[in-house]
Amino acid sequence: MEPHSGHPRRWQILGVMVFSLLAVVLDNTILNVAIKTIADPVHGLGATQSELEWAMNSYTLVFAGLLFTFGVLGDRYGRKRMLMTGMALFGLASLVSAYAQDPMQLIGARALMGLGGAAIMPATLAIISNVFPFHERGKAIGIWAGGVGIAIAIGPITGGLLLEHFWWGSVFLVNVPIVLVALGLITALVPDSRDPDKAGLDPVGVLLSIVGLVSLVYGIVRISDLGTVADVSVVVPSLAGLAILAAFVWYESRIDHPAFDVRHFRNPAFTTAISSVGLVFFSAMGVMFFLAFYWQIVRGFSPLESGGLVLPFAIAQLIFSPASARMVDRYGAKALGTAAMVVITLCLAAYALVEVDTPVWILLVLGFVQGAAMANLMPPATTAIMNALPREKAGVGSSMSNVVRQVGGTLGIAVLGAILSAVYRGEMEAGAGAVPEQFRHLVTESISGAAGVAGRLGPHGASLMDAANDAFVEGVHWAALGSAAVALIGTFVVARWMPGRTAQAVPPVVKAEPEREAAVV
């Protein structure tokens, strides 16, 4: 392969990478649709609220905790090998999840799915960075991001269709044929690549990253479980995780062959891109989380209809993500990123004006505009992250990008969800006087609980749901303002530190010949 021409089958390989990622992205969105069915004791597993939370959190903990590790292992032992291992694990775990006989089996199978997903995600982006020449990476990553956006949107629609015609396990079983096709395509088309530097593996750094990330993410997901940050099970693991990750940074800066060279944070483009990714995912994922409840409970749409309402966001991703590289070339990363962050901030703030009866078309337009803005920010930011590292470290760069996405999104859902829950409880505790004492806790705990109680109260249930809907929307207003405030911080970060057009992008120096680092095996 010529140093600057890229792999001759690079566009076909890009298609395979997008398809390979489809199962992972679909699974994360499909499960949200299936939660109610899995909780049903007749048509599902009869899972409790806590068991449902851990069916989601077990995946998140393993996925986030091992993303960095699998990026390092892929660089050392081969990204194609790591991708195929991850696909096989993910397919097997999906099969086990589909036929789980009780909630604990499902929780264990979901953890195994997180293991497979952690191996898949960084490998796809690392392979793209190795088969495309430097000047085409932006366009390729834009297409990759557009594919991810589409998968996010079709997940709820797919889940709704499956649940209307099949049993709950079908939302996991659908991953199996995708995995089998992907494995065949990877075997036939994708070259292997690895870091030719056979330096030590840095087991201490890898272990610190795993323990630190798992501890931090555990503390974050406990916020979602408890609805508060003021609990010892939140504070202790979160602070411990931050301390361990600080030790990881300190250790990596003092050894000869670190798993991740922390000196890359001296690069303004890299650090600003990483920061903007985390801040945007914090803001956007929190909003998308509470909108799912808004559509299904407040507005009364079915899971399938709710999935369709996300399509404008996905269509915008599909349209604008592939063109984002041209926009960077024309206007520069600083101008484009700042403008995108301003639009994202305004869109998130606009949700503070949403009411129970807001016309649907307004929310669809808002989703489209937000999707277009994110499509002009995320691919260029991801490209900046990947371009800041030499190609032999592409797995590490990809895993860093995905760790920040995952932690940022999880933290956004937890913190903004806690804000929403606190406002909702405050409103409902003042207005639930007529609710029988045995149901009061359910009514004040969540809008889902209020909907369940309202169905038992007959004619009086309508007034209860009116109060619950109003309380939930009030919580949405405060959560939206919180998300907009975080996005505004991201706007200042990009405007201040993102390099402008005069900063010419040049590929980092590689340590080995391209033929060695992208050798087909």
Side-chain angles (χ1 to χ4, degrees):
M1 186 174 70
E2 292 299 318
H4 303 293
S5 63
H7 195 281
R9 295 195 304 268
R10 59 190 179 277
W11 295 107
Q12 294 97 313
I13 294 169
L14 174 61
V16 175
M17 293 302 97
V18 173
F19 185 78
S20 298
L21 202 57
L22 181 63
V24 177
V25 180
L26 274 177
D27 177 76
N28 285 331
T29 52
I30 282 179
L31 184 59
N32 293 332
V33 176
I35 285 295
K36 289 184 179 179
T37 307
I38 295 172
D40 191 307
V42 177
H43 300 101
L45 296 176
T48 65
Q49 181 66 29
S50 176
E51 288 168 339
L52 289 173
E53 289 169 353
W54 277 106
M56 302 180 73
N57 293 341
S58 62
Y59 179 95
T60 301
L61 280 174
V62 176
F63 182 74
L66 292 176
L67 270 171
F68 179 79
T69 299
F70 277 117
V72 172
L73 294 176
D75 284 344
R76 183 175 179 85
Y77 297 111
R79 291 140 194 159
K80 177 178 179 177
R81 181 179 302 174
M82 198 57 57
L83 176 58
M84 295 187 70
T85 301
M87 293 298 297
L89 280 172
F90 195 86
L92 176 63
S94 297
L95 189 63
V96 175
S97 296
Y99 292 100
Q101 300 300 303
D102 58 60
M104 291 308 298
Q105 287 183 18
L106 180 61
I107 291 169
R110 287 282 297 162
L112 186 60
M113 290 178 73
L115 186 68
I120 294 167
M121 183 72 81
T124 59
L125 199 52
I127 289 170
I128 290 171
S129 291
N130 270 269
V131 299
F132 278 90
F134 188 82
H135 65 279
E136 287 183 348
R137 282 187 197 169
K139 182 179 180 180
I141 291 174
I143 294 172
W144 176 85
V148 171
I150 286 294
I152 289 173
I154 66 175
I157 298 174
T158 304
L161 286 171
L162 290 170
L163 290 174
E164 283 188 1
H165 297 92
F166 305 101
W167 95 114
W168 65 268
S170 62
V171 301
F172 298 112
L173 198 61
V174 71
N175 295 331
V176 176
I178 296 175
V179 166
L180 292 175
V181 173
L183 284 171
L185 292 172
I186 293 167
T187 301
L189 292 174
V190 177
D192 203 1
S193 60
R194 59 175 60 85
D195 185 354
D197 183 1
K198 297 302 182 183
L201 188 58
D202 183 18
V204 174
V206 170
L207 182 62
L208 286 173
S209 73
I210 294 172
V211 176
L213 286 170
V214 169
S215 181
L216 175 61
V217 173
Y218 176 80
I220 292 171
V221 299
R222 288 294 292 162
I223 299 174
S224 298
D225 295 344
L226 301 171
T228 179
V229 297
D231 188 272
V232 66
S233 65
V234 171
V235 175
V236 171
S238 297
L239 292 179
L242 290 173
I244 294 168
L245 291 175
F248 166 77
V249 172
W250 176 85
Y251 179 78
E252 296 296 281
S253 67
R254 282 161 173 77
I255 63 173
D256 294 333
H257 299 286
F260 176 70
D261 190 345
V262 296
R263 289 175 296 181
H264 290 299
F265 283 111
R266 298 174 184 172
N267 183 333
F270 178 82
T271 304
T272 305
I274 282 280
S275 301
S276 64
V277 166
L279 291 168
V280 166
F281 264 71
F282 178 102
S283 304
M285 294 305 293
V287 170
M288 291 180 72
F289 177 76
F290 63 63
L291 274 180
F293 289 91
Y294 174 82
W295 286 128
Q296 292 191 43
I297 299 179
V298 177
R299 302 304 291 263
F301 291 109
S302 70
L304 181 58
E305 291 169 334
S306 300
L309 292 167
V310 185
L311 279 177
F313 178 88
I315 292 170
Q317 293 273 306
L318 181 64
I319 294 172
F320 294 102
S321 288
S324 60
R326 291 200 303 272
M327 295 291 285
V328 171
D329 291 340
R330 183 172 182 178
Y331 299 107
K334 180 190 283 286
L336 181 65
T338 302
M341 286 300 307
V342 168
V343 173
I344 291 169
T345 302
L346 292 174
C347 286
L348 295 173
Y351 288 107
L353 303 176
V354 170
E355 299 295 343
V356 174
D357 58 352
T358 297
V360 171
W361 71 266
I362 293 178
L363 295 172
L364 297 182
V365 170
L366 195 59
F368 182 86
V369 174
Q370 182 184 341
M374 289 185 66
N376 279 288
L377 176 72
M378 300 310 298
T382 304
T383 304
I385 293 168
M386 299 305 295
N387 285 348
L389 293 147
R391 286 204 301 175
E392 66 266 21
K393 297 295 183 183
V396 172
S398 175
S399 60
M400 285 294 294
S401 172
N402 286 296
V403 164
V404 171
R405 287 173 185 244
Q406 185 68 31
V407 172
T410 303
L411 186 60
I413 291 172
V415 173
L416 297 176
I419 292 172
L420 192 156
S421 295
V423 174
Y424 173 85
R425 281 196 301 270
E427 295 286 324
M428 290 304 291
E429 284 171 356
V435 177
E437 187 65 33
Q438 66 267 32
F439 297 136
R440 190 163 299 174
H441 174 73
L442 289 172
V443 168
T444 58
E445 186 66 23
S446 69
I447 191 171
S448 300
V453 172
R456 306 179 189 179
L457 297 181
H460 300 291
S463 60
L464 173 61
M465 277 313 300
D466 287 340
N469 289 340
D470 290 338
F472 182 83
V473 169
E474 182 68 18
V476 167
H477 294 167
W478 285 98
L481 291 174
S483 68
V486 173
L488 184 61
I489 295 172
T491 303
F492 287 126
V493 168
V494 174
R496 173 65 180 85
W497 287 292
M498 181 68 79
R501 295 187 65 182
T502 55
Q504 297 297 317
V506 293
V509 177
V510 297
K511 298 178 182 178
E513 297 176 358
E515 290 81 3
R516 289 182 62 196
E517 65 180 81
V520 178
V521 297

